[in-house]
Each structure stands twice: as structure tokens, then as C-alpha cells.
Amino acid sequence: QLKKPLWGYFDESAPGWMAKQIDLAADHGITGFMFDWYWYEGDQFLEKPLNDAFLKAPNRNRLKFFLMWANHSWGIWPALDDGLRTMNGNENQASATYLIIRHSEQDLRDVFEYSCDKYFRCENYWKIDGKPVYSFYNCNMLFRYIPPTDVLRIINEVAQKHGFPGIYTLDSREI
């Protein structure tokens, strides 16, 4: 039996609803939000909760935020049930794929140019030692196309061009 959320259903892109979530989080000791961020060679989607709600919420500075680039191909769920494994987000389990991730050095530069301009300059973007904090959902996918040393070189070059000392990366493996 389906249960209705305590707050009911709401539009995640509405600043008023985001303000309520920010207050709830901040009042209970949460200091920041990580936003899944989707970019496919310049095309974005599911960006409205960040761009239209969080960044426009009157109380947004109560929390820090940072991005995790969800750099994986996008499919439709429910996942296919092959009976062998649990649903773990593996793109091969999607019943249909709509957006294919294609990494390139230019696209990586474009991602960080956009992020420097749109997000990293925000007063409440999380920074460590002046470096914007950033995460990749699947750095191994990125490394299939661009070697780790080149990834670090590119993202730090772009950040430094915009006046930041570099990028502070959070990932599931050392890069």
C-alpha cells in the first residue's frame, strides 16, 4: 500500500519548498547538501531543484552545497530483473537508455567552465582551502576516456583560470 509523504507531494523546483527543506536540515545539524548534477555534452536535466529552488531560496546560505556530476548513462527504471543481482544502479540494468555519457577533454573543460561560472562563485558553495569541492559519480567511467592525471590537470587549469587555487575532489577512489 502506497504511503503519502508527510509533507505531501510537492514541486522540487519551488524555492518555498526548498526553503522548508533547508530550514529542516539546518535546524537539525545538517550543514550542506550534495546535488546530483546531470550534464550530457552540454545538455542538462533534473537541474531545477538546484537552479530554480536551492539557488533562489531566501535562506540558501544556511547550508553549503556542492556538486556530484552523475556522469553515467541515463536509462528508464524499473531496472530489468535478471534474477541474479539486486538493483544497484548499473546502467546495464536499465530497460531503456536515453542519454549516453560520452567523455572527452573538451566536454570536461566545458563542465568545469560552466561550474566555475554558475556554482563555484556562490558564497555558500563548499570550499576547502579555497578549492571548490567536487565529486564524480563514476570516476572510473571518466578514466576510460581521459587518464586520471589529465583529468586533474584539466579541472585544476580551468579552476585556476577562474581564480580558484584548484579543485578539491571527493571520489570513491584515489585520483
Side-chain angles (χ1 to χ4, degrees):
Q1 184 179 49
L2 296 176
K3 293 186 177 187
K4 183 178 175 184
L6 185 61
W7 287 354
Y9 298 98
F10 60 89
D11 179 358
E12 291 182 326
S13 67
W17 278 107
M18 181 59 74
K20 188 173 180 177
Q21 293 175 76
I22 290 168
D23 283 340
L24 181 66
D27 290 348
H28 290 87
I30 304 297
T31 59
F33 285 165
M34 177 190 77
F35 283 92
D36 283 357
W37 187 74
Y38 298 86
W39 171 284
Y40 295 88
E41 298 173 298
D43 292 328
Q44 296 182 55
F45 81 113
L46 300 178
E47 76 284 358
K48 289 182 178 183
L50 173 58
N51 292 345
D52 295 349
F54 185 81
L55 293 179
K56 294 179 182 175
N59 59 345
R60 70 180 176 273
N61 286 332
R62 289 194 70 195
L63 296 178
K64 299 284 187 189
F65 78 101
F66 75 100
L67 301 179
M68 179 189 69
W69 181 12
N71 64 318
H72 57 81
S73 294
W74 183 262
I76 191 167
W77 301 98
L80 298 175
D81 181 9
D82 62 11
L84 300 174
R85 60 186 180 266
T86 60
M87 189 168 96
N88 63 5
N90 181 333
E91 65 190 72
N92 295 329
Q93 291 178 288
S95 56
T97 302
Y98 294 110
L99 293 169
I100 305 295
I101 195 76
R102 292 181 183 91
H103 290 295
S104 69
E105 287 191 13
Q106 185 57 54
D107 193 51
L108 183 63
R109 284 185 189 283
D110 292 345
V111 163
F112 277 82
E113 287 285 348
Y114 184 88
S115 296
C116 282
D117 287 336
K118 176 89 175 170
Y119 305 115
F120 299 167
R121 293 196 188 290
C122 291
E123 174 183 347
N124 61 328
Y125 194 91
W126 185 26
K127 296 173 189 80
I128 296 176
D129 297 329
K131 297 178 179 181
V133 174
Y134 199 87
S135 183
F136 297 95
Y137 171 76
N138 187 343
C139 55
N140 290 326
M141 169 70 80
L142 181 61
F143 298 158
R144 288 183 203 159
Y145 299 91
I146 308 168
T149 54
D150 290 343
V151 168
L152 289 177
R153 177 183 51 77
I154 290 166
I155 66 177
N156 285 310
E157 281 176 3
V158 173
Q160 290 165 358
K161 179 179 124 183
H162 286 268
F164 299 102
I167 299 293
Y168 191 99
T169 58
L170 301 178
D171 292 294
S172 58
R173 59 170 260 174
E174 188 68 30
I175 62 172

